[in-house]
C-alpha cells in the first residue's frame, strides 16, 4: 500500500507523535502467526514490514530524528511530570558513549538486549517466547522490549500501557531503525543518559556518582 495512505489511516488522537507525517513510497506487511494453545512453546511468529522507496518528507507533530541533537527530556509518571533535563553537552551529567566504562556498557546490554547491535529494533524470537510464557502463566510475566523500544518509550511516549501506545512505539522504532535515522551507537548513548537507575536518578552520569562517587569512565567490573 502507499505509505502515506497507511499513516493517514491511523486514528486521530491515538498516535500523536505520527500525526502530520508526510511520506512517499510504499509499504508491504506480512505476518506468519501460528499458536497451538495446547503447545504454546511451538508458537510461530514472524512479522515483517518492508519499505519500497520509502522517504520521510516531513515529520509532522514530532521530529523523530531529534535523538541526533541535544533535546529536552521530561520524565512523567502517568500525567504527572517528575522532572525535566537536557540530554546533551549542556548538561554536566551527560556522558558520551566513549566516556562510559565498556564493562558497564556490556553488562547492561547483556541484561537488557544482547542482540541490540544486530537487530533492526525488534527481537522476534524473544517476542514469541514472551507470548508463549505469558499465555502459560495467564498473566503478564515476561516482556520483549529491546533497547530500541525502551528508548522510544522513554523519549517519545508516556508510560501508560495501552495497545495504541505499543503500536505507536513499534512504528516509531521501525521508522528509526529501518530508515537509519539514528545510529545504533547514538541510540545506546542517549539510552544510557536517560534511563532511571533509582528514585530520581536518571542517566549513567548521575547514577555513577550517586552509587559509587565515580565518573562513568572509571566504573570497574566490581
Amino acid at each position: 500500500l502507499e505509505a502515506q495512505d497507511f499513516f493517514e489511516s491511523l486514528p486521530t488522537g491515538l498516535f500523536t507523535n505520527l500525526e502530520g507525517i508526510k511520506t512517499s513510497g510504499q509499504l508491504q506487511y506480512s505476518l506468519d502467526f501460528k499458536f497451538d494453545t495446547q503447545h504454546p512453546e511451538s508458537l510461530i511468529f514472524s512479522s515483517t514490514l518492508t519499505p519500497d522507496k520509502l522517504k520521510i518528507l516531513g515529520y509532522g507533530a514530532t521530529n523523530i530524528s531529534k535523538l541526533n541533537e541535544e533535546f529536552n527530556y521530561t520524565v512523567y509518571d502517568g500525567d504527572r511530570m517528575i522532572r525535566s533535563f537536557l540530554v546533551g553537552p549542556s548538561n554536566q551529567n551527560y556522558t558520551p558513549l566513549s566516556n562510559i566504562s565498556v564493562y558497564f556498557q556490556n553488562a547492561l546490554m547483556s541484561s537488557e538486549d544482547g542482540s541490540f547491535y544486530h537487530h533492526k529494533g525488534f527481537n522476534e524470537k524473544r517476542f514469541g517466547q514472551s507470548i508463549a510464557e505469558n499465555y502459560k502463566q495467564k498473566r503478564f510475566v515476561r516482556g520483549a522490549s529491546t533497547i530500541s523500544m525502551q528508548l522510544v518509550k522513554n523519549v517519545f511516549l508516556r508510560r501508560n500501557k495501552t495497545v495504541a501506545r505499543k503500536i505507536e512505539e513499534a512504528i516509531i522504532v521501525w521508522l528509526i531503525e529501518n530508515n537509519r535515522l539514528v545510529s545504533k551507537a547514538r541510540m545506546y548513548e542517549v539510552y544510557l543518559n536517560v534511563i532511571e537507575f533509582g528514585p530520581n536518578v536518571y542517566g549513567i552520569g548521575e547514577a555513577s556518582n550517586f552509587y559509587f562517587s565515580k565518573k562513568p569512565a572509571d566504573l570497574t567490573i566490581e
Side-chain angles (χ1 to χ4, degrees):
L1 72 161
E2 295 297 324
Q4 190 60 31
D5 289 345
F6 166 75
F7 287 107
E8 289 182 357
S9 74
L10 298 175
T12 301
L14 286 182
F15 304 91
T16 54
N17 288 283
L18 298 168
E19 289 181 1
I21 189 170
K22 299 297 181 184
T23 61
S24 63
Q26 296 184 319
L27 296 172
Q28 178 178 322
Y29 180 70
S30 61
L31 172 68
D32 184 10
F33 181 62
K34 299 178 182 179
F35 186 59
D36 183 348
T37 56
Q38 299 302 312
H39 304 282
E41 64 282 347
S42 67
L43 175 143
I44 293 175
F45 178 84
S46 177
S47 175
T48 307
L49 183 61
T50 306
D52 181 14
K53 299 179 181 178
L54 176 69
K55 290 184 179 180
I56 300 175
L57 306 177
Y59 287 109
T62 299
N63 180 4
I64 299 173
S65 68
K66 74 175 185 178
L67 292 171
N68 290 312
E69 307 165 355
E70 183 169 274
F71 65 94
N72 191 65
Y73 175 57
T74 303
V75 182
Y76 287 94
D77 181 9
D79 292 325
R80 183 170 64 92
M81 188 185 84
I82 304 299
R83 61 179 286 197
S84 184
F85 57 89
L86 283 172
V87 180
S90 297
N91 182 342
Q92 63 178 1
N93 290 312
Y94 183 82
T95 311
L97 197 61
S98 58
N99 291 342
I100 300 175
S101 164
V102 174
Y103 296 126
F104 176 80
Q105 290 186 46
N106 292 339
L108 189 141
M109 192 175 296
S110 295
S111 171
E112 295 297 315
D113 181 8
S115 61
F116 171 68
Y117 277 103
H118 305 289
H119 62 58
K120 288 189 175 182
F122 309 97
N123 187 325
E124 288 189 355
K125 181 178 180 181
R126 191 173 172 183
F127 193 85
Q129 291 171 340
S130 295
I131 294 174
E133 185 64 23
N134 292 334
Y135 178 82
K136 287 191 291 186
Q137 298 295 330
K138 306 300 181 186
R139 59 191 178 92
F140 186 83
V141 296
R142 178 176 179 172
S145 289
T146 60
I147 285 175
S148 307
M149 296 169 72
Q150 292 178 46
L151 175 63
V152 165
K153 177 186 68 175
N154 280 306
V155 174
F156 296 103
L157 305 167
R158 300 293 176 87
R159 297 190 178 185
N160 52 313
K161 291 184 177 181
T162 65
V163 173
R165 187 193 63 76
K166 288 301 289 185
I167 294 173
E168 184 175 18
E169 175 187 302
I171 294 173
I172 295 174
V173 168
W174 184 88
L175 285 170
I176 290 173
E177 291 269 16
N178 285 270
N179 292 278
R180 300 178 181 179
L181 302 181
V182 186
S183 70
K184 284 284 192 177
R186 175 61 180 172
M187 291 174 70
Y188 197 37
E189 178 175 295
V190 173
Y191 175 78
L192 295 178
N193 277 278
V194 301
I195 57 174
E196 184 178 11
F197 285 95
N200 205 32
V201 179
Y202 293 92
I204 184 59
E206 289 186 16
S208 182
N209 180 64
F210 179 80
Y211 291 109
F212 304 111
S213 299
K214 287 185 174 184
K215 294 181 178 180
D218 298 327
L219 292 174
T220 64
I221 291 177
E222 182 182 9

